[in-house]
Amino acid sequence: MRTQSGNGELVGYGERASDLTGNAPVIWGSGPYQFCTFFNRRWLSFAGQPLTELQQGWFGEVHPDDDSVCLQTHRRAFIRRQPFCLEYRVRDPKGGYRWIRDEGRPSFGPDGQFAGYMGSCVDITRQKELEEDLKSIDDELVCSERRYRAVVEDQTELICRFLPDGTFTFVNDAYCRYFGLTPEELMGRNLWRLISPYHREKAREFVESLTAEHPVATIEYPVVNNGEPRWHQWTDRGFFDEAGRAIEFQAVGRDITERKQAEEALRESEVKFRSIFDLNIVPLIYWNADGQVTDANDAYLELVGYSREELKRGKVRWDRMTPAEDRHLDENALKELENGQRFATPFEKHYRRKDGRLVPVLIGAATFPGFTDRGVAFAVDMSAQKQLESELRDEKALNSAIISSLSGHLAVIDRAGRIIAVNDSWVQFAAKGAGAKDKVDVGANYLEVCAKALRCGETTTQEALSGIRAVLTGGRPGFSMQYQCESAPVQWFEMRVEPLRHHEGGAVISHIEVTNRIRAEIEAENHRRELAHVARVTMLGELTASIAHELNQPLTAMLSNAQAAQRLLSKKKNPLPVIRDILADIAADGRRAGEVIHRLRSLLEKGEPQKAPLNVNALIEQTLRLIHSEMIIRRVAVEKQLHPTVPAVLGDRVQLQQVILNLIVNAAEAMTECPLPERKVVLSTFSNAEKVGIRVRDFGTGLDPTYREKIFEPFFTTKDHGMGVGLWINRAIIEAHSGELLAVNNDDKGCTFDVMLPVHKEEGV
Amino acid sequence: MSESPIVYLVDDDASVLRSVGRLIRGGGYTVNAYGSAREFLAEFRRPIQPCCLVLDISMPGLSGIELQRRLFEKQLDLPIIFITGHGDVPTTVRAMKSGAVDFLTKPFEDSDLLQAVRQALHKDKLARRDRLERTQIKTEIDSLTSRENQVLRLVVTGMLNKQIAGTLGTCEKTIKVHRGRVMKKMQVQSLAELVRKAERAGLFVSGPVAGLRATTSQKPQASAM
C-alpha cells in the first residue's frame, strides 16, 4: 500500500490548497466516530471549504452517484473498525468532478485500543485510467482486513463498542459467547439492559466519567451472570469529537471472578489476621531472619517493654532480646523454617525485656507463603504459667508430704474405682489384709480389693462399697462408717469417703484407726450407764419408804385375809364360800407384791440397754404405779393428761422410766414448801409427725434463774441430799435416744420439763 | 345386830379395806368401810352404840391425820386406831397426842388389831358415859339462878359462907339458904361431891377462880425444886 503519511501539520481556518492535482495526498484523521477531526492543508486547498463546514461531511461535494455508496462505506468501516478504500468523485471547485481514492485505516493506541481512523485522499483521476495497476493494492487491503478481523475475533477478552446511548456497534465472539447471545441478537441492542439494574447506574456513571482528556479508565464491579455472581473488569475508552462530546465507546472486559475471589480471600485473611494482631490478646510480630521485628502489636511491645516509637526506629530486635543461652532455640526454629516447614515447632525461651528482666515466653513462628526468612510469630508470656507451675509443684510436694506423713490409710480413686494415689500407710495396711497376691496400690481397683483390704465381714464390706459408690455417683456428699477389723487384738477403723473435687470425679478414701476412741466411747458409755444405774439405785433408795408401802399394802391384805380365814375356820360352820374369796384375794395380792418386786428389780438391774418400741403413755402408767405411795406420802396429787394416740418411740424401758421417775420425784420435791392444795404434778403426752413429747409440770418454786444453765451439769444440786446427777443422767439418757430434754419456768408457778423423743418409724416406712 | 358396836374402817387400798374388814367382822363387830377420808366424813353420824375408827394414815386427798383433826373440830371425836404402812416417829407422836387409841404398823397381827378395837370401843363406852354425866351436870347448873350460880362458883373455891357474903355484899344467912338450894339442885350431899361436879362441868377452866388454879399448879413445880 502506497500510503503516504501526512506531515501532521494541521490546517487552520481559511487556509486553502492551491493544487489538488499535485502528488501530495490529502491526509485526514478522525475520531472513533466517522467525522473527520483533522485534515491537512492539502485537503483544504482541495476542498476549498473551512474546517467546520467540512466536519459536517463532505458529502456535498461528492458526486451524487457516489453519495450513498460513500456514506455506507464510511459507516460500515467505522463500525467494523475496518480499513476502507473508496473511490468516488468529488466536485472540483474549478469545475467538473475528480476521482479520488479515499483510504482510511483504523488506528489503535499502544494498548490496542481503537483510536479512530487515519486516512488519505488521493486524486486518482489519472490513476483511474490505470485500474489494473491499482487492482493489486485492493487485494492487499482485503487481506489485511481479514487478518485484522481474525485477530479481533480471536481475542478471549470481551470486546464491544457502543454508542453513548448504549446501542452496540460491535461485539466480538468472546463477548457473544460470554453472554450466550449471537452477534445478531446483540447488535443494535442496548448495552445497559445487559447490566444488572444494581450496577447499571454505576456503569453508566463510569462511562460518563470518561472525558476527552481522560478517555481511558478501568473499572471492576460485580455482576450477576446466569444467576451466578461474577466480577468483571472493564477498560473503556471513549471517543470524543472536537467539542469533547462522546461519540462512541469501546469496552474491553474480562471475567476476573477467580482473581477477585482470591483477592477477597486474601484480604479477608489479612483482615482476620490484622484483627487478631490488633486485638492484643496474644503478642504477635512480623519478623525476619535478620533478627528484626518489623511490626508488633501492643501486647508484644508491652511484653518486651519497648515503645511503638522504638519499634518504628528498628530498636526492637528479637535476636538481641534473646539471652545467649536461648539462642540455639531460635536457631533451631529458623532451621526448621528454612527447611520448608511453614510452622516452627513452638518452643519456650526467654526474652530480656528492655528493663533487663527475663520473661519466659512460648514462641510459635510461621513464614509468609513463599518466604523462608520472614513471617509472623507469637510470643506468649509464660510468667503466670511458670508461676502457677511452680506453685503447683510446691503444692504437690506439700500435699504428697502431708499425705505420706498421715498415719491414716489414704487412697484416692477415680470414677471407676481405680486407685490413682495412695500413701505408704495404706499400702502397708492393705497389703497385710490382702496378702501378697493382690495388688492394692495405684492401678488396682479399690472396689475389688476392698473386702480383703478391710479385713472385715461381708456386711461391713457391702456397706463400705455401697457408701463409696454413692459418693462416686454423687448420690451422697460424703460417707463415713466405723468397722471392726478382724485382727487380734480387735482394731476399730473409721472409713471416710470424700468426693474428689476433680472434673473427672473420684473420691478420697481414708481409714483411720479409732480403736482408742471407740474404747474410750465404750468406756464412757459404760461409765454413764453405771452412773445412771447408781443414780437409779440411789433414787430408789430415797423411795424406800414408799416402796415399802407399796409392798406393805398387799402383805397387809394377805395377812389379814389369812387370819380372817383362820378365825372363820374355827367359828363358822360353813366358811368355805368366804374362804374361797379370801384365797382368791390372797393370790391377787401375792401377784401384786410380785409385780412391785419385779418393777424394782428391773430398775435395780444393771443390764445392757435394750431398745424396743414403747408407748409413752404405758410407760408413764407403769412409773406412776411405782411411786404411787411416794406421791401420797408427799401429799402430791398427780394429774394425767395423756394423749390417747401417741406414736411409739424406740427406747430402753428402764432408762426412760428412770427419767420419768426422776422428773416426777423432782417435781414433787420442788413443791415441799407449797400449801397442800397446790401440790400437783401434771403429766401430759403429745406428739407431732416427728416427735413424741412427755411433759412434767409442777407448781413449785420454779428454777432459780441463777442456776438455769447449771441444772443439767453433773453433781449440781440445790438439795441437801442427793448426788446432783439426776438431771444430768436424764439428759444423757434422752440424748442417747436422739431426743431432747428441755426445762422452762412456767408463767405462773413452777417449771415444766419436756422430754422430746423421735417417733419410731418402722423399718422400710 | 343393831346393838353390836360399829367399827368404821377407812383405807384407800381396796384390797386392804376388804381384808381388814373381814378380820374385824370376824371379831364380831359391824364394819362400815370407806375408800377415802372424805367419803367417811360426809357420811359419818355418831351412832347410838359404841363405835371406833380404824384409819389409814397415808391416803391421797384427805389424809388420816387430817381426818382426825376435822373430826375433833366437829366435836365428833371417836376413838381412832391408826394403821400405816410406814410409821415415822413424828406422825405417830402427833397422832397419839391427838388422842389416838393405838398406832399399828402394816402388816399387823389380827390379835393386835382386835385388841386395839376392843380398847377403843371400851374407851368410847367410857367417853359416852362421861359425856352423859357432863350433860346432866350442865342441865343441873343451868337450872341454878344467877345468884345460886355465883354462890356455887365461890363455894367450890373453898370460901366460907361469911367470906362469900362479904364478896357478894350480903349476909351470911342468905348465903346459907342459897348454898342449901344449890346442893339440892345439883343433887349432892357433900361439898366434895359438889366440887367434883363443878370440875366435871369445867367451871375451873375459866372464870375468876383461874388464878387459884394457877396457884395450886405451882405447888408440884416448887416441890420439884
Side-chain angles (χ1 to χ4, degrees):
Chain A
M1 197 170 113
R2 213 178 53 194
T3 51
Q4 289 174 306
S5 59
N7 59 13
E9 187 187 353
L10 287 168
V11 293
Y13 174 76
E15 284 184 69
R16 284 177 175 275
S18 57
D19 188 8
L20 184 66
T21 58
N23 282 328
V26 175
I27 304 296
W28 56 267
S30 81
Y33 198 55
Q34 65 260 50
F35 295 111
C36 289
T37 48
F38 72 89
F39 297 86
N40 65 357
R41 285 178 192 167
R42 187 76 184 87
W43 168 261
L44 287 178
S45 68
F46 171 74
Q49 280 184 358
L51 189 64
T52 46
E53 288 171 45
L54 281 170
Q55 277 174 336
Q56 300 304 316
W58 50 58
F59 314 116
E61 282 97 340
V62 175
H63 189 281
D65 291 347
D66 297 337
D67 201 351
S68 67
V69 70
C70 183
L71 190 61
Q72 278 172 14
T73 306
H74 273 108
R75 188 164 284 166
R76 191 179 305 125
F78 266 83
I79 290 168
R80 296 185 179 168
R81 306 287 186 262
Q82 285 171 340
F84 63 88
C85 180
L86 182 67
E87 290 176 1
Y88 54 89
R89 280 156 293 185
V90 179
R91 199 159 62 91
D92 188 347
K94 292 171 188 148
Y97 284 87
R98 296 194 72 86
W99 277 95
I100 60 160
R101 188 164 63 236
D102 187 2
E103 283 181 70
R105 294 187 69 85
S107 63
F108 291 91
D111 53 352
Q113 302 294 319
F114 176 65
Y117 273 78
M118 287 296 288
S120 65
C121 293
V122 178
D123 184 347
I124 54 160
T125 315
R126 269 181 63 219
Q127 288 169 353
K128 197 74 176 155
E129 296 156 10
L130 302 166
E131 268 186 26
E132 287 301 314
D133 297 340
L134 294 170
K135 188 81 173 164
S136 64
I137 295 170
D138 283 347
D139 288 347
E140 259 183 66
L141 279 170
V142 170
C143 282
S144 170
E145 183 192 326
R146 282 192 191 129
R147 275 201 304 276
Y148 170 73
R149 196 172 182 81
V151 167
V152 172
E153 292 295 345
D154 289 349
Q155 285 284 330
T156 54
E157 290 181 325
L158 317 175
I159 301 171
C160 72
R161 288 175 73 100
F162 54 89
L163 298 176
D165 66 359
T167 309
F168 282 111
T169 53
F170 172 76
V171 288
N172 71 349
D173 283 351
Y175 195 94
C176 294
R177 272 195 306 275
Y178 189 83
F179 289 103
L181 295 166
T182 62
E184 288 73 27
E185 285 171 319
L186 283 169
M187 285 304 290
R189 275 184 60 186
N190 198 300
L191 160 72
W192 306 118
R193 302 255 170 80
L194 283 179
I195 301 173
S196 73
Y198 181 73
H199 296 293
R200 199 175 290 156
E201 257 334 283
K202 202 174 169 190
R204 212 188 277 273
E205 270 171 33
F206 169 67
V207 170
E208 279 165 7
S209 74
L210 298 177
T211 60
E213 285 76 29
H214 303 287
V216 182
T218 300
I219 187 174
E220 291 174 357
Y221 57 82
V223 296
V224 176
N225 188 30
N226 291 334
E228 190 189 348
R230 311 292 297 180
W231 274 87
H232 282 179
Q233 185 194 57
W234 290 98
T235 303
D236 285 15
R237 175 180 283 273
F239 299 100
F240 299 91
D241 63 14
E242 281 285 330
R245 280 177 301 210
I247 301 163
E248 196 179 10
F249 294 95
Q250 169 183 279
V252 177
R254 58 178 91 90
D255 187 318
I256 53 159
T257 309
E258 277 164 32
R259 197 200 80 202
K260 206 69 189 174
Q261 282 170 345
E263 275 177 11
E264 194 76 8
L266 185 65
R267 190 159 56 242
E268 198 178 324
S269 90
E270 267 174 11
V271 166
K272 277 181 187 163
F273 180 74
R274 195 69 216 180
S275 65
I276 293 168
F277 198 82
D278 291 337
L279 211 52
N280 285 317
I281 293 171
V282 178
L284 292 170
I285 57 166
Y286 289 115
W287 58 270
N288 63 35
D290 297 340
Q292 194 76 40
V293 173
T294 49
D295 195 5
N297 60 2
D298 290 344
Y300 184 85
L301 293 174
E302 198 181 323
L303 172 68
V304 296
Y306 284 91
S307 68
R308 188 154 288 283
E309 190 53 40
E310 286 165 324
L311 174 73
K312 280 181 191 156
R313 288 200 315 241
K315 289 280 173 81
V316 184
R317 294 185 61 90
W318 56 262
D319 55 349
R320 284 187 200 151
M321 286 190 298
T322 307
E325 60 270 26
D326 284 352
R327 284 310 304 269
H328 67 284
L329 298 168
D330 284 340
E331 280 158 17
N332 289 345
L334 282 177
K335 242 174 245 161
E336 283 182 353
L337 296 174
E338 270 169 33
N339 291 340
Q341 260 180 257
R342 275 295 310 279
F343 303 101
T345 316
F347 60 99
E348 286 181 21
K349 61 176 249 184
H350 289 83
Y351 269 148
R352 190 170 295 285
R353 284 166 50 92
K354 193 189 175 194
D355 59 17
R357 198 152 56 78
L358 277 177
V359 209
V361 285
L362 176 71
I363 300 289
T367 51
F368 291 132
F371 293 93
T372 57
D373 62 345
R374 70 197 63 179
V376 294
F378 66 79
V380 179
D381 186 350
M382 299 292 280
S383 307
Q385 184 83 15
K386 291 280 168 194
Q387 176 78 19
L388 205 65
E389 276 174 21
S390 147
E391 280 170 12
L392 271 176
R393 226 173 8 250
D394 290 352
E395 198 179 307
K396 215 170 168 182
L398 183 68
N399 282 347
S400 77
I402 291 172
I403 287 172
S404 58
S405 73
L406 287 176
S407 60
H409 319 312
L410 205 79
V412 183
I413 61 173
D414 67 12
R415 202 187 195 81
R418 210 173 49 245
I419 300 175
I420 51 180
V422 292
N423 65 354
D424 294 346
S425 179
W426 159 259
V427 176
Q428 286 160 15
F429 164 75
K432 237 187 270 173
K437 57 187 187 299
D438 283 313
K439 187 172 159 62
V440 290
D441 56 0
V442 175
N445 190 306
Y446 190 91
L447 302 177
E448 281 166 17
V449 299
C450 190
K452 286 170 181 169
L454 297 192
R455 277 169 283 166
C456 55
E458 183 64 22
T459 334
T460 314
T461 312
Q462 284 309 318
E463 193 189 342
L465 283 179
S466 65
I468 295 169
R469 287 205 186 96
V471 172
L472 282 179
T473 56
R476 294 177 69 153
F479 171 74
S480 79
M481 63 175 278
Q482 288 178 352
Y483 65 92
Q484 205 173 356
C485 196
E486 286 165 0
S487 57
V490 167
Q491 280 178 302
W492 279 89
F493 285 91
E494 183 178 73
M495 182 178 91
R496 281 180 173 279
V497 186
E498 297 278 340
L500 188 61
R501 311 283 176 219
H502 192 259
H503 59 93
E504 281 173 8
V508 182
I509 301 170
S510 62
H511 299 264
I512 296 163
E513 192 185 337
V514 291
T515 313
N516 288 341
R517 197 182 78 198
I518 295 282
R519 269 203 206 115
E521 277 172 10
I522 291 171
E523 235 162 84
E525 172 61 24
N526 284 341
H527 283 157
R528 202 172 54 75
R529 204 160 64 228
E530 270 180 37
L531 199 54
H533 178 250
V534 169
R536 211 152 61 224
V537 171
T538 309
M539 184 165 62
L540 289 176
E542 289 168 15
L543 298 176
T544 311
S546 79
I547 291 162
H549 191 254
E550 282 298 306
L551 274 175
N552 249 337
Q553 297 289 69
L555 286 177
T556 305
M558 285 158 85
L559 185 59
S560 300
N561 270 325
Q563 288 173 338
Q566 282 171 341
R567 282 173 186 274
L568 279 171
L569 286 170
S570 64
K571 284 181 187 169
K572 238 182 173 176
K573 279 178 184 166
N574 182 16
L576 283 182
V578 186
I579 300 277
R580 199 172 289 123
D581 288 350
I582 288 174
L583 287 175
D585 278 1
I586 289 175
D589 280 318
R591 274 194 287 276
R592 181 177 156 198
E595 274 169 28
V596 173
I597 299 291
H598 179 75
R599 277 200 292 275
L600 268 182
R601 194 160 53 202
S602 71
L603 279 172
L604 288 169
E605 263 172 7
K606 205 157 82 177
E608 290 280 313
Q610 288 173 337
K611 289 197 176 173
L614 299 171
N615 179 301
V616 292
N617 287 349
L619 209 58
I620 288 173
E621 296 285 5
Q622 286 159 9
T623 312
L624 281 176
R625 240 170 270 157
L626 202 66
I627 49 165
H628 171 73
S629 304
E630 180 71 15
M631 292 296 109
I632 293 169
I633 292 164
R634 288 184 178 277
R635 322 278 314 119
V636 171
V638 175
E639 189 180 313
K640 288 182 285 185
Q641 298 173 354
L642 305 183
H643 194 274
T645 55
V646 282
V649 298
L650 190 68
D652 178 70
R653 174 186 305 275
V654 172
Q655 290 193 341
L656 290 182
Q657 231 176 339
Q658 174 178 359
V659 173
I660 298 169
L661 196 61
N662 181 268
L663 291 177
I664 298 174
V665 171
N666 279 351
E669 279 183 353
M671 296 185 289
T672 313
E673 307 294 324
C674 298
L676 280 183
E678 287 178 11
R679 292 192 204 168
K680 187 167 76 172
V681 177
V682 181
L683 293 169
S684 48
T685 51
F686 52 94
S687 67
N688 59 27
E690 299 296 321
K691 285 174 175 179
V692 174
I694 302 168
R695 177 165 293 168
V696 181
R697 185 200 202 281
D698 68 48
F699 296 82
T701 47
L703 300 167
D704 187 334
T706 326
Y707 304 129
R708 267 298 295 278
E709 302 304 316
K710 284 190 160 183
I711 56 169
F712 291 112
E713 288 177 14
F715 306 111
F716 171 81
T717 181
T718 53
K719 303 175 199 162
D720 297 336
H721 58 99
M723 292 194 294
V725 293
L727 283 175
W728 175 57
I729 293 284
N730 285 351
R731 179 166 270 190
I733 289 172
I734 297 305
E735 280 173 0
H737 282 77
S738 314
E740 276 181 294
L741 178 60
L742 309 163
V744 285
N745 271 331
N746 299 328
D747 290 340
D748 47 359
K749 273 181 179 173
C751 68
T752 297
F753 281 85
D754 278 353
V755 175
M756 304 299 295
L757 293 166
V759 167
H760 173 55
K761 292 194 168 98
E762 291 293 328
E763 284 299 318
V765 177
Chain B
M1 290 278 288
S2 59
E3 283 307 306
S4 73
I6 297 174
V7 177
Y8 295 95
L9 175 60
V10 180
D11 198 312
D12 63 312
D13 192 306
S15 183
V16 172
L17 200 62
R18 208 158 53 241
S19 63
V20 174
R22 272 188 194 116
L23 196 61
I24 299 170
R25 222 172 280 123
Y29 306 104
T30 299
V31 174
N32 282 3
Y34 300 88
S36 76
R38 216 167 279 286
E39 204 183 319
F40 169 76
L41 199 58
E43 289 185 12
F44 177 68
R45 299 287 177 277
R46 190 191 293 285
I48 304 152
Q49 62 268 52
C51 64
C52 72
L53 174 60
V54 176
L55 179 59
D56 184 28
I57 286 187
S58 306
M59 284 187 294
L62 210 55
S63 75
I65 299 288
E66 279 158 356
L67 177 60
Q68 184 189 26
R69 191 169 52 77
R70 297 280 182 93
L71 289 171
F72 182 77
E73 281 167 5
K74 291 189 161 188
Q75 298 190 337
L76 282 171
D77 49 334
L78 75 170
I80 295 175
I81 301 153
F82 281 110
I83 53 173
T84 177
H86 74 123
D88 67 292
V89 177
T91 316
T92 315
V93 169
R94 206 159 79 221
M96 294 307 280
K97 270 192 171 169
S98 308
V101 176
D102 212 335
F103 198 99
L104 298 175
T105 304
K106 290 178 185 172
F108 39 76
E109 287 298 324
D110 57 348
S111 51
D112 290 347
L113 178 65
L114 292 174
Q115 170 74 29
V117 167
R118 261 195 306 279
Q119 273 180 13
L121 288 174
H122 178 66
K123 195 181 173 190
D124 189 51
K125 214 177 283 174
L126 295 180
R128 187 177 296 271
R129 196 176 300 157
D130 180 62
R131 258 198 314 276
L132 211 61
E133 189 188 8
R134 244 185 298 192
T135 314
Q136 197 180 334
I137 293 168
K138 196 168 179 288
T139 317
E140 288 165 1
I141 289 175
D142 287 347
S143 68
L144 300 179
T145 66
S146 67
R147 197 60 170 187
E148 285 164 356
N149 196 311
Q150 279 179 322
V151 172
L152 170 64
R153 285 169 187 278
L154 295 172
V155 167
V156 295
T157 63
M159 276 178 149
L160 299 173
N161 288 349
K162 198 191 230 169
Q163 288 171 305
I164 296 169
T167 306
L168 296 177
T170 181
C171 66
E172 193 182 348
K173 198 176 171 184
T174 313
I175 293 302
K176 205 174 178 178
V177 173
H178 280 306
R179 186 173 175 157
R181 226 174 270 152
V182 167
M183 295 286 273
K184 194 181 175 187
K185 279 186 178 175
M186 295 297 287
Q187 297 180 18
V188 292
Q189 309 301 319
S190 64
L191 177 63
E193 225 176 328
L194 184 67
V195 169
R196 197 190 63 84
K197 273 200 169 179
E199 191 209 24
R200 299 279 294 148
L203 289 184
F204 293 146
V205 174
S206 58
V209 293
L212 180 77
R213 217 173 157 252
T215 322
T216 51
S217 68
Q218 268 177 348
K219 272 181 185 166
Q221 261 185 352
S223 67
M225 287 166 83

